[in-house]
Each structure stands twice: as C-alpha cells, then as structure tokens.
Amino acid sequence: MPDFKKAIIYQIYPRSFNDSDGDGVGDLPGIIQKLDYLHDLGVDVLWLSPIFQSPNADNGYDISDYRAIQPTFGTMDDFDELLAGVHKRGMKLILDLVVNHSSDEHRWFQESRKSKDNPYRDYYIWRAPKDGKEPNNWLSFFSGPAWKVDEQTGEYYLHLFAEKQPDLNWENPKLRQEIYQMMRFWLDKGVDGFRMDVIPFLSKDTTFPDYPEGRYGDLTIYANGPRIHEFLQEMNREVLSHYECMTVGEGFGVSAEQANLYVGKDRRELNMIYHFDHAVPREEHRFIDPAPEFTLPELKAIFHKWDETMGDTGWQNIYFGNHDNPRVLSRFGDAERYLYESTTMLATVLLTQRGTPSIYQGDEIGMTNCPFNSIDEYDDIQVKNAWQALVVDGGQSAEVFLQTANRIARDHARTPMQWHDGPNAGFMPDGGQRDGQIHGEPTVGGQTFRQTSEGPVGLTERLTGSRQTESRLTEVSPWLKINPNYPQINVADQQVRADSVLSYYKKLIRWRKQTPAIWEGMYRDLLPEHPAVWAYERIANDERLVILANFSDQDVYVPEVETGEVVLSNYTTSSFALRPFEARILAPYA
Ligand code: GLC
C-alpha cells in the first residue's frame, strides 16, 4: 500500500500559523519553531498554502515569482532549513501548486500585456471584444465578469478569480514547459509533492461559449475541460513520475463519477483528489441568500456516494476544514456547550473514513468561527468584493450580509493560530521592538484590532493607555483579528491536559497508524437515514470496526447497531445510549 494512503496530512496556512519576527504575519521560521509540536501531534505530511512571492491579492494564491519565497515569510535559506527539519523528523512537505493563474505582477504577464506580438502573449488567454463587450458572459469567483479589458492592446484577458489573477494559457506548450521546470526546481530541492490548486480548470474550451442554457453563473462549468487529462498525463510523464512524490488535486467542479479519471490507478495523473460536495457554498449571491447547512443524512449520502464511486480504484483526500471553509466545529458541533465532545467526535469521523485525511491548523484544538463585527474586520477578497457588489452597489441588506458572512466567510479559518492565553494568543512574540516599533497587547483599552485589507503588516498607530509617557508608539497587530476565545481555546492549555481536544487527537492519530482496517478497509454506512447518528463499519481482512458518531446534543440510543468492545471513545464512562456528540469506535463481539 503506497505511503500516501496511510498518511495524515496537516494543512498550514503560513500567514496565520506562527509569526517569529513580530511583523504580524506568520512566517517560515515560525513554522520551524513548531515542528516538534507537529511531530508530536503525529501527522505525516505538512501541506503549506502558498509561500511564494505574491502581492497578496488572494493571500498568496496570486504568485508573482514561483521560485522566490514571499519576503514576509522569510528567505530561501529559511525554506531549506524548514524542509530539512521536516525530513529530520520523518515527515514530508508538500507545496501548493497554483498554476491555473499567476499574479498580474508576474513577469510573464507584464510582458504579455505589452503587445499582441510579445513572445509572452500566449502565456495568458487574450480575446478580442465581442460586440464591444466581454468575449463571453462568464463570471469570476470573486464577483463581476471573468474578463478584463487591458488598455494597452484593447483586448480582454481571462481571470476566473480576481482581476489580479490572470489565467495561464495551458494550450501553449512553452508555458507548460515553464511550469514543469518550476515543479522540478522544487522537487529537486527535495519537496515531497504538491497540492494542486483548482487543477480541473487548467484546460478550457477555447471557443469560450456562454454559459449553457439554465446554468448561468454556474462556476463549475470551468472544470474538466477537453484537454485536462492530456495535460495531467503529460505533467506526470515529464515531471511527477521521475520523483517519489505525492499529489493532491483540489477537485472543484469534479463529480464523483469524474474523479477516477484524475486519480484512477491506471491513469498516471494524480494520487488523490478532494471534492466540494460538502463544502460551504460561497458564490457571491450566497452572502445574501445562504444555502442551508447539510443535514446529517445529506452529509452521509455525499460521503457514501464518493466512497462507493471511487472504491479503491482512485483515492480521496478527506477533509472537513481548510482555508476556504468556515470552521467545521461551528458548522456541525456545539462550541458553547460541547466543545470537547463535538470537536473530538468530528475528529473521529474525519480520521476513520476511507481516504487520506487532512487536518486543518487549529482544528486539533477546536478553533471556532470568529465573530467579525464589521466588513472592515475581514480581509478576504471574496467577502470584500461580494460586499461591494451586493451591499454597496446592489443596495442589499448590510445586516443580512454580515450575519451570513459570520457563518460562511473564509476568514474564519484564517484567524491566527491560538498558541497560548498571553498577548496575541502567542501568535506573535509579545512585547519587544522591531524596526523601531513596539508591540502591544492584543486589546488595548478594550479596543480590538484594526484589520488591514491589503498590507501584509497591520500597523496600527495608537496611544496605549499604560504607555502614554513613552511618546507615540507604533504598534504591530496581527494581520487578521485574533479570535477572542483564545484564553479558553489554545495549545498551551491543551498540551498539559490529558482530557483536552489536542490529547484526543494525538491518541486517535496514534491508534489510526496501527489500524490497517482504517487505511484500506471497505466502508459501509449502517444507518444512512438516521437523523442524528453516523454509524459505519470499516472492514479489512479479518478486522472489522464499527464507528458511531452522535451529531446531536441529545442522548440517542441505536439498538439497530450491534455493540462491541470500545476501542476508543470521547467519553470515559460507559452508557447504552450515545451521549451528546459521543463518538465510539467499537470492535464488535464475534
Ligand atoms: C483555490 C484556493 C483558494 C483560492 C483559489 C484561487 O480554491 O484554495 O484559496 O482563492 O483557488 O487560487
């Protein structure tokens, strides 16, 4: 069985993980400082969201130099040290490959826009206006049309995401070779693979038809273009197959039926893919008209369908949280009354599905959505642009928008990691001076942080009550608000308690590593219709396990499911009924 199937991935969002130098932004030395923590947690693979040079229109998913480290994150030496530190501890490191688009500040685009006959013109997707307007009616993920006219040549370029994220032209073999070269550069350094950003979008229908009838605004239309498998097979042949590495595709717009084309054993494309069927829908209009949360039977049906369709022909990457979704605990748990129980229950389900699980940073301590009180407190371009389009330009209700954003925005997952209950939750060094600036407390005189929307460094000039004698001080704030619940939810507290969420995660991870039935066993849903309990079995060879997870805050008795010896549970006492958010892993009596 290949390593990637047994592995547990941990996703780091570098901006928010650990800031070693006190500029308000997480960095690579900060990650190095926490490698022992990650090793101790027991994870095998670290996936870093983009660490490359970027003007940060989309927090690093807009890359201006694929071979340079974002200066606020550190240097190439820091990267080399990080990679060595990861390997020394027996872990692996995978990078985010963002090659559907680059930044408009990338040298290629700067050249490309200069003239129609520039050698880099074909690195991007340019089209003449159609009837004086956009070449088709496609919309961008971040509001407005997916085309922008460029004055220099009067043509439009395609950007499925922000205007500052022009789509690369994969039809151009020269562009493809540049990307492959860049991938080799990182693989030659020793990185262990890639998570591939919106990979199904690389190939487009080059006739650029309007949305098909009845699907206006359907952003999944961009996925699975005519040459996608040809491109991925080429990438595999030319690059991936020459290295020992693992790949995870972000499968936006890929259906369960299509997924095996990307990851099927004989396809020679990718190792794993993750889908969006259970993700929070966040297209622009959702900020006013939110989709209801999935019911448990719906959620189970999605997992069942994917497992059944993929079987072990292909392989899934399983997740509940990532940097594009709100916190899973705030979706399916009860952070107020059952923080421990509901977080550990969700962890149990995540880590006992068939597929390679990804844990998102902070979920291992039960981090929750953050109360954002105004649009200014947000950072994400998606929520900002939707606000502009719906509230400012569209006159829709600010109140409804903010209420919804507090449920669905991506920034909930991006607030700084909560390391301890001291200043800045331990995300930044407390006190101290840097560049002539003095760091302050996270809240001074009851004030919360000011957010900056563009700059990597949140500089807040203010007089602090206790320091008025010290003349005017410039304070450095974290780039995004710290969740005010950090005094209650933080790593330091949980590290010393055997009954903490973190301790449960460690126990569960260690147990999983010794349990082949979880890596490779068949999955069967035992109670697909049950409204409160997710009950399933995992079977491999002569090992059989039954997992019960109560998604409700009530006692639930499930006599339909056989009982057995409790292998692991998030409750210490026994009971017939499942208690609120109880999770039990059972070895059924023979
Ligand atoms: C992916 C990333 C997301 C980003 C988008 C554009 O979906 O996960 O964060 O905004 O691609 O690169």
Side-chain angles (χ1 to χ4, degrees):
M1 171 170 220
D3 274 0
F4 73 82
K5 291 194 174 180
K6 293 186 203 165
I8 299 171
I9 301 176
Y10 183 95
Q11 182 191 352
I12 294 179
Y13 196 67
R15 293 180 73 73
S16 302
F17 193 61
N18 186 33
D19 170 16
S20 72
D21 62 1
D23 66 356
V25 181
D27 47 44
L28 302 184
I31 300 173
I32 295 172
Q33 289 172 1
K34 299 296 181 185
L35 286 179
D36 285 333
Y37 166 78
L38 296 165
H39 183 238
D40 187 44
L41 178 60
V43 296
D44 306 294
V45 179
L46 306 181
W47 151 28
L48 303 184
S49 277
I51 54 168
F52 317 102
Q53 188 176 296
S54 161
N56 277 324
D58 186 20
N59 285 344
Y61 283 91
D62 49 319
I63 296 169
S64 53
D65 185 343
Y66 287 96
R67 297 178 192 219
I69 302 291
Q70 173 73 357
T72 43
F73 287 176
T75 62
M76 195 58 90
D77 285 346
D78 294 328
F79 178 79
D80 293 339
E81 190 186 332
L82 170 63
L83 183 60
V86 170
H87 286 165
K88 197 178 94 193
R89 289 167 180 81
M91 298 186 287
K92 294 183 193 301
L93 187 74
I94 66 177
L95 297 180
D96 218 309
L97 186 76
V98 188
V99 292
N100 172 67
H101 45 269
S102 72
S103 163
D104 65 343
E105 296 182 32
H106 195 290
R107 186 177 55 84
W108 299 337
F109 190 74
Q110 298 295 318
E111 286 297 320
S112 184
R113 72 185 342 169
K114 280 184 184 159
S115 66
K116 289 185 191 170
D117 55 7
N118 187 284
Y120 288 90
R121 187 67 169 179
D122 275 352
Y123 275 43
Y124 294 87
I125 300 170
W126 295 96
R127 288 291 184 278
K130 200 170 146 198
D131 308 324
K133 291 201 309 230
E134 287 83 9
N136 72 7
N137 65 357
W138 286 8
L139 297 178
S140 121
F141 275 81
F142 297 153
S143 302
W147 298 92
K148 180 162 165 73
V149 73
D150 198 52
E151 329 73 70
Q152 293 185 63
T153 56
E155 288 196 330
Y156 284 85
Y157 67 86
L158 180 72
H159 63 90
L160 295 182
F161 294 88
E163 285 176 16
K164 285 185 69 62
Q165 293 168 296
D167 280 55
L168 290 161
N169 178 20
W170 275 73
E171 298 293 321
N172 179 353
K174 262 167 61 191
L175 176 272
R176 301 205 298 276
Q177 288 306 323
E178 295 253 23
I179 301 288
Y180 300 157
Q181 271 302 102
M182 176 272 284
M183 292 172 72
R184 290 185 198 107
F185 168 82
W186 290 104
L187 290 165
D188 287 338
K189 265 187 173 294
V191 310
D192 302 289
F194 298 103
R195 172 266 186 187
M196 300 190 178
D197 196 63
V198 288
I199 203 70
F201 288 10
L202 299 192
S203 161
K204 276 108 180 161
D205 178 344
T206 53
T207 65
F208 291 102
D210 280 343
Y211 285 115
E213 190 77 31
R215 289 182 71 184
Y216 179 76
D218 179 351
L219 305 175
T220 61
I221 205 82
Y222 313 141
N224 314 306
R227 297 181 69 189
I228 184 62
H229 298 294
E230 179 193 332
F231 294 158
L232 290 177
Q233 283 166 15
E234 180 183 84
M235 179 193 281
N236 189 300
R237 199 166 56 241
E238 300 219 4
V239 186
L240 301 170
S241 62
H242 300 276
Y243 297 86
E244 259 196 41
C245 63
M246 64 173 76
T247 50
V248 188
E250 185 194 20
F252 188 88
V254 176
S255 68
E257 292 75 19
Q258 291 159 326
N260 275 331
L261 295 174
Y262 288 83
V263 293
K265 275 183 197 139
D266 309 324
R267 298 285 301 172
R268 296 180 195 281
E269 295 189 20
L270 306 177
N271 296 139
M272 309 172 247
I273 194 161
Y274 69 83
H275 66 77
F276 277 63
D277 287 6
H278 66 316
V280 172
R282 236 184 11 255
E283 298 92 350
E284 182 188 282
H285 70 99
R286 297 296 190 182
F287 284 92
I288 287 290
D289 175 25
E293 187 50 272
F294 294 103
T295 64
L296 184 62
E298 285 168 347
L299 192 65
K300 291 189 281 192
I302 293 168
F303 276 73
H304 167 76
K305 177 171 179 205
W306 274 83
D307 186 81
E308 190 182 39
T309 317
M310 296 196 85
D312 67 352
T313 311
W315 197 251
Q316 283 192 78
N317 169 233
I318 310 271
Y319 71 100
F320 278 148
N322 60 30
H323 65 295
D324 291 329
N325 278 279
R327 289 283 175 184
V328 61
L329 176 56
S330 300
R331 292 180 67 188
F332 298 116
D334 181 340
E336 294 299 315
R337 292 183 305 149
Y338 294 105
L339 182 118
Y340 173 80
E341 292 80 0
S342 53
T343 312
T344 51
M345 181 279 287
L346 291 164
T348 309
V349 176
L350 174 71
L351 285 151
T352 57
Q353 293 289 319
R354 172 154 59 174
T356 300
S358 285
I359 299 169
Y360 182 66
Q361 72 177 39
D363 281 350
E364 78 276 21
I365 55 168
M367 281 179 64
T368 67
N369 281 0
C370 178
F372 289 106
N373 301 315
S374 72
I375 191 66
D376 297 332
E377 287 195 334
Y378 287 96
D379 167 85
D380 182 16
I381 184 168
Q382 182 170 52
V383 70
K384 297 263 190 191
N385 284 3
W387 170 270
Q388 181 69 35
L390 297 173
V391 179
V392 181
D393 301 339
Q396 308 235 39
S397 161
E399 198 187 331
V400 172
F401 186 103
L402 287 175
Q403 230 172 41
T404 316
N406 251 326
R407 222 192 83 206
I408 69 172
R410 305 196 294 184
D411 280 331
H412 293 294
R414 301 176 178 187
T415 63
M417 184 74 185
Q418 296 163 204
W419 294 105
H420 61 58
D421 65 359
N424 296 315
F427 167 66
M428 296 165 64
D430 44 321
Q433 209 164 345
R434 185 182 133 86
D435 300 333
Q437 294 149 5
I438 295 180
H439 304 293
E441 304 283 303
T443 53
V444 179
Q447 276 179 285
T448 48
F449 298 110
R450 185 178 73 95
Q451 309 311 309
T452 56
S453 54
E454 53 349 293
V457 183
L459 293 176
T460 310
E461 276 227 84
R462 70 177 113 87
L463 278 175
T464 64
S466 57
R467 292 182 182 147
Q468 278 180 2
T469 49
E470 296 185 42
S471 77
R472 245 187 124 72
L473 303 175
T474 303
E475 224 175 78
V476 179
S477 302
W479 73 278
L480 185 64
K481 178 174 178 172
I482 291 182
N483 193 315
N485 65 17
Y486 73 91
Q488 292 79 44
I489 301 174
N490 64 70
V491 170
D493 167 60
Q494 298 197 16
Q495 265 174 330
V496 295
R497 280 195 295 112
D499 61 351
S500 67
V501 173
L502 183 61
S503 298
Y504 184 87
Y505 256 94
K506 288 186 200 171
K507 197 160 60 176
L508 180 61
I509 288 172
R510 277 166 184 67
W511 170 80
R512 187 189 197 277
K513 291 195 163 165
Q514 298 153 14
T515 314
I518 297 296
W519 316 328
E520 57 189 344
M522 188 204 89
Y523 169 91
R524 191 164 70 95
D525 193 338
L526 299 173
L527 299 174
E529 306 297 333
H530 199 292
V533 176
W534 196 340
Y536 50 97
E537 59 182 5
R538 301 292 317 278
I539 307 176
N541 306 323
D542 50 0
E543 193 175 15
R544 184 161 155 257
L545 295 163
V546 169
I547 291 105
L548 297 172
N550 181 2
F551 272 65
S552 80
D553 60 1
Q554 306 289 316
D555 282 7
V556 189
Y557 183 46
V558 278
E560 318 75 312
V561 180
E562 68 194 294
T563 186
E565 187 193 335
V566 179
V567 178
L568 207 91
S569 164
N570 58 353
Y571 276 75
T572 48
T573 56
S574 59
S575 125
F576 278 119
L578 290 168
R579 285 148 297 182
F581 298 103
E582 178 162 358
R584 265 183 217 170
I585 302 174
L586 301 171
Y589 299 127

